Every structure is written in C-alpha cells, then in structure tokens.
Amino acid sequence: MKIIVTGATGFVGAALCKALVERGDQVIALSRDAARAKAKLGPSVEVLEADLETVGPWGRAFANAGAILHLAGESVGAKRWDARQKQVIRDSRVETTRTIVEAIAELDRPDRPKTLICASGTDYYPFALPPIDDDEVTEIDPPSDSFLGRVCRDWEKEARGAEPLGVRVAMLRTGIVLGHGGPLDKMTTPFKLFAGGKLGNGEQWMPWIHLDDVVAAYATAAHDARYAGPINLVTDSVRNREFAAALGRALGRPSWLRTPKLAIKAALGEFSEYVLHGRRVVPARLRELGFQWKYPALEDALRAAI
C-alpha cells in the first residue's frame, strides 16, 4: 500500500515508518526539513518537502494513496505555555489537518486516498473529578471545554471534513505512549536520582499504551476498513500512584517521594492541570475490533520501554 505519513520524524512517526517499510508498504513522508527527515528515516522512505500551512505540489502525492497517517503536531509539553505557544499547539494540529483535507479535495474523486487516520488525544475528554472519578471514559463521552479538549475537538472536526469526499476517517485518541525517546524519558529521571514518586496526591488517572501497540494500531487502521470514527488508543488507565510504583519497580528504584502540587504548578504553569488531573480512558472500540496488545500489562510495558 502507498502510505503518506506526516510527523514522520517524531517519536511515534519514525517507529511507524520503520514498521510500514518492513511490512512492504511504500512510505512517503511529508516534512518541512526534507534533508533532516531523509537522514533520520533512511533511504527506504521517500521524503517530500511540505509546508502544511498551504496546499502545495506535495498534494499530488496523495493521488491513489491507500492511507494518509497524520501525526504532525507541536509537542504539548515542549515549552511553557503562553498565548503564542498555545496558538502553535492548536495550529500545528487543526490548521494542518484542514490543509490536508483541502489537498484531498483538489484531486479527482477516483484518485483520492482511501483513508485518513488522524492523531488525536485523550485530552479530548473532561478531567475526572469527584464524584465521577472512577467512571470509565469511552468514545461516546462528550469533549472537554479545556484548552486541549477544544484543540482535539476542532482537530477531529477538520479530519471529518474528508468523509464527504469519500474518504474513511479514523481519529486515534492517544494516551501516554511508553517507549524510548518519548515522555517516559523525562519521567524516569527523578527515579534514577532516587527522587521518584507520585505527583500531587497520586489519585489522578493516567491512560497509557506502549509504542509498539501504537504503531500496530496505526498500521492496522490503514488497512482495516472497520477502523473509523473516534478510537481510544490506550491499553488501560491506572492511577498515578500505581504508575509511579510500577515505574520504580521496573527501574529498581524507590517511589516514595511525592512531588507537591504547588511545585508542579510553579514548574509547568497551566499545563500542570493536565498532569494533576486525568481521566479513566478505556479502549472500548479497540476491544470491539479485537485488537491484540503486545504489552497488555503495565509493568511489562515499562520494562520493555526502558
């Protein structure tokens, strides 16, 4: 299958491109920095220079593609949030998705790609606060009115714009991805310094999934027509205190030191709300589809990731 990938040099994108090539797919990566992408992805992946702010010549690559896997987006935790950074986070998701759909629309209907698989996040859902703290969150739950909730809602709305064009659309609402080079690298640092433990009271839910399972889900969604609409791309959700204890055991380090809420808020600003609050997201749709996780247990996933 001919597959287009955006965000191909990222944590998930690079692993996904490698897996698709190994499977025998023709992979074309869209990147602002083609030279850097070629160096990272290797000769088996074709790279096209593409600025996703406006439709360009790169849009012709969409013709007769089996799937577009759209993973591009500014990391939400890369920088401290201010008005400008929040706009970058939004535009790198919402506006680029709109541009991709516009590029699809410019093609004659028989030449349009069959599928658009768009990344999204579990931040789509409201924070879990008492008295609904233990409620499981599935794909039918409504969106949050938080900043990231609105971003995910608008992001998915733009992706759905491809459906009237005859394109199957799936939105993968992804939790915390465990793997080398991802957010886990920052999480392990305090544990390695014997200063690891829960964040705040540790009661907040953390939806998680291993990188290998993320890659498998995207690769499957590209081929399987049953993958459509919103899909929670998680394995399970655990409380932060349970996650910290499991991470400590995987590293052979204690997990007794708590990071106070005030310290987290001082360090992260507005983003701290997403660290201190979570939601118990469960993979209802993936279970219905019969998806098989390589790492269904958290401790096995953590050991593999580190």
Side-chain angles (χ1 to χ4, degrees):
M1 180 183 284
K2 175 182 174 182
I3 297 181
I4 314 296
V5 182
T6 74
T9 59
F11 168 52
V12 174
L16 178 57
C17 286
K18 182 175 183 291
L20 293 172
V21 167
E22 290 175 350
R23 190 173 68 176
D25 292 313
Q26 176 194 358
V27 181
I28 301 174
L30 304 184
S31 176
R32 283 186 175 181
D33 188 341
R36 174 176 171 270
K38 287 177 181 177
K40 182 165 186 176
L41 300 174
S44 298
V45 176
E46 181 182 351
V47 178
L48 296 180
E49 192 90 27
D51 183 347
L52 297 181
E53 293 181 2
T54 57
V55 178
W58 50 266
R60 292 193 291 271
F62 288 1
N64 301 307
I68 300 170
L69 308 184
H70 181 36
L71 288 79
E74 173 79 2
S75 171
V76 296
K79 298 178 183 178
R80 191 179 179 90
W81 288 5
D82 55 19
R84 182 180 180 280
Q85 182 62 10
K86 288 169 76 173
Q87 192 66 45
V88 169
I89 289 170
R90 182 189 184 279
D91 289 351
S92 67
R93 290 164 169 77
V94 178
E95 300 303 320
T96 60
T97 306
R98 179 180 300 154
T99 302
I100 284 172
V101 174
E102 289 173 353
I104 293 172
E106 289 190 0
L107 296 171
D108 292 335
R109 196 174 189 90
D111 297 333
R112 289 171 184 166
K114 293 181 176 62
T115 303
L116 171 61
I117 310 296
C118 186
S120 186
T122 54
D123 290 310
Y124 175 93
Y125 303 109
F127 295 133
L129 301 172
I132 60 168
D133 190 52
D134 290 331
D135 288 0
E136 291 187 342
V137 176
T138 71
E139 290 84 353
I140 65 172
D141 281 89
S144 167
D145 194 40
S146 67
F147 165 65
L148 289 182
R150 295 192 301 272
V151 168
C152 290
R153 179 197 64 200
D154 295 346
W155 194 4
E156 294 185 11
K157 181 181 177 182
E158 294 298 336
R160 282 195 178 275
E163 290 177 332
L165 303 175
V167 177
R168 171 172 62 93
V169 177
M171 295 84 66
L172 303 190
R173 295 172 180 166
T174 312
I176 299 167
V177 181
L178 306 179
H180 179 64
L184 189 63
D185 286 4
K186 290 183 179 180
M187 295 180 192
T188 59
T189 299
F191 286 85
K192 291 176 180 177
L193 298 174
F194 293 87
K198 63 185 180 181
L199 303 176
N201 63 17
E203 293 300 302
Q204 65 272 35
W205 291 99
M206 296 177 64
W208 64 272
I209 186 168
H210 190 277
L211 176 61
D212 288 357
D213 289 320
V214 171
V215 167
Y218 269 98
T220 302
H223 285 266
D224 192 332
R226 298 176 303 153
Y227 284 67
I231 297 172
N232 290 339
L233 188 50
V234 301
T235 301
D236 197 2
S237 292
V238 298
R239 294 193 185 276
N240 173 260
R241 55 178 166 76
E242 296 169 350
F243 185 93
L247 181 55
R249 288 192 294 270
L251 288 166
R253 296 289 193 275
S255 58
W256 56 270
L257 191 62
R258 180 177 72 90
T259 304
K261 286 186 178 181
L262 289 177
I264 296 170
K265 289 181 177 180
L268 300 180
E270 184 180 346
F271 183 56
S272 65
E273 293 301 314
Y274 297 86
V275 174
L276 293 170
H277 301 94
R279 65 282 292 166
R280 191 182 181 184
V281 181
V282 296
R285 188 75 184 102
L286 282 180
R287 289 169 179 165
E288 290 174 0
L289 291 166
F291 182 79
Q292 297 294 311
W293 283 264
K294 183 178 179 180
Y295 296 105
L298 176 59
E299 292 206 26
D300 291 340
L302 287 170
R303 289 192 183 97
I306 60 177

